[in-house]
Amino acid sequence: MSVDGEVRRLKSEADEPGWEVDPDDDWGVAVVATVGRQLRLRREAVGMRAAEFGVAVGYGEDLVYKIEGGKRIPRGEYLDRADEVLGAGGLLSAMKEDVAKVRYPKKVRDLAQLEAKAVEIGVYESNSVNGLLQTPEHARAAFESRQPPYSPEEVDRMVAARVARQSVFERSPSSSLSFVLEEAPLRRPLGGTMVWRQQLERLLEVGRLRNVTFQMMPMHCEVHPGLDGRIELLKFEDGTAVGRSDGAFNGRPTSDPKQLRILELRYGTIRAQALPPRESLAFIEQLLGET
């Protein structure tokens, strides 16, 4: 399935009403609380009990109370059905746009917004396959391996958010993207052989795109500037940039020109030490042949 297809599928799944609101997302909490309040006021105005309304929209009474109390994020079709049942004339359906924006955790939304605006993205990843390159199955296996474990709802939400970020590959005009991944994570059959194979095939697919450069850092490279962890660089049309590194500036995003130059130097050196793109894709093909 194409990236666009996966994004549409997972966005649909992401609408499931079992998701809790991120308590650290003040704007998201306010949006969901406002939507819930409007739903309750409309329902009470027409004299419907929660149980009766739940039957009419196709959900249980408990969920109705949770949505009206701002504890759950309603899905789009819930708002459409509520609008119809309560005769709201499109006012409830119009809230779908705001609700859609809070389905994903705030830090993921912020990152996705930056990636969507960037004309150039450079990433070095030390311990895993970068999120922009992950298949949904690989992402799920990665999230499910965390300790302490996430709840199933949290895993669903984070997988959907991660895959939705990959819409960056569908931009027009295209961004210039470069990735350097370590060899070791590429050899790890995370999620089992089939998931691993699908992930390797995805890397080949993305690595062959005209606007993408994919490189692999071989394990026999003794020393390079990325040993402290991930490096990310995003450049924008207006000439500004944002960078972050696990091993520099306390891991916080920076737009300071001096700090950006340090990150650019490190990333440039990493790219120079990694295998060239053609050899890197040949390595992935070899791994596929060994599975």
Side-chain angles (χ1 to χ4, degrees), residues 92-230:
L92 296 178
S93 292
M95 295 179 177
K96 287 190 294 183
E97 183 176 349
D98 286 333
V99 170
K101 295 176 181 178
V102 303
R103 292 180 300 182
Y104 308 135
K106 182 179 183 299
K107 63 180 181 180
V108 176
R109 293 203 313 270
D110 293 343
L111 176 59
Q113 289 172 1
L114 287 175
E115 290 170 341
K117 296 176 181 177
V119 296
E120 194 174 322
I121 299 175
V123 179
Y124 161 73
E125 195 75 58
S126 57
N127 297 316
S128 62
V129 174
N130 183 261
L132 287 175
L133 301 172
Q134 291 180 1
T135 64
E137 295 78 14
H138 182 103
R140 182 172 297 279
F143 285 127
E144 289 178 344
S145 70
R146 301 288 178 87
Q147 291 293 335
Y150 293 122
S151 70
E153 293 79 13
E154 289 175 314
V155 171
D156 287 344
R157 185 178 192 183
M158 289 185 289
V159 170
R162 177 156 293 181
V163 175
R165 284 173 51 207
Q166 296 175 11
S167 61
V168 69
F169 291 108
E170 307 297 325
R171 282 188 57 187
S172 180
S174 302
S175 302
S176 175
L177 302 103
S178 66
F179 300 91
V180 182
L181 304 185
E182 287 285 347
E183 176 180 349
L186 299 179
R187 291 186 175 275
R188 183 175 297 116
L190 183 66
T193 300
M194 184 58 67
V195 171
W196 182 34
R197 283 189 59 85
Q198 291 172 347
Q199 181 59 66
L200 294 176
E201 290 168 351
R202 177 62 183 152
L203 293 177
L204 283 177
E205 178 187 355
V206 173
R208 289 169 177 156
L209 295 175
R210 297 177 63 183
N211 62 313
V212 175
T213 302
F214 172 79
Q215 293 178 261
M216 188 273 291
M217 179 66 75
M219 286 191 292
H220 63 66
C221 182
E222 295 180 4
V223 178
H224 64 74
L227 296 180
D228 285 337
R230 177 190 306 157

Side-chain angles (χ1 to χ4, degrees), residues 17 21 54 56 86 90 101 108 142 149 176 183 250 260 274-275:
V21 185
L86 300 176
K101 295 176 181 178
V108 176
S176 175
E183 176 180 349
N250 296 317
L260 286 172
L275 290 183

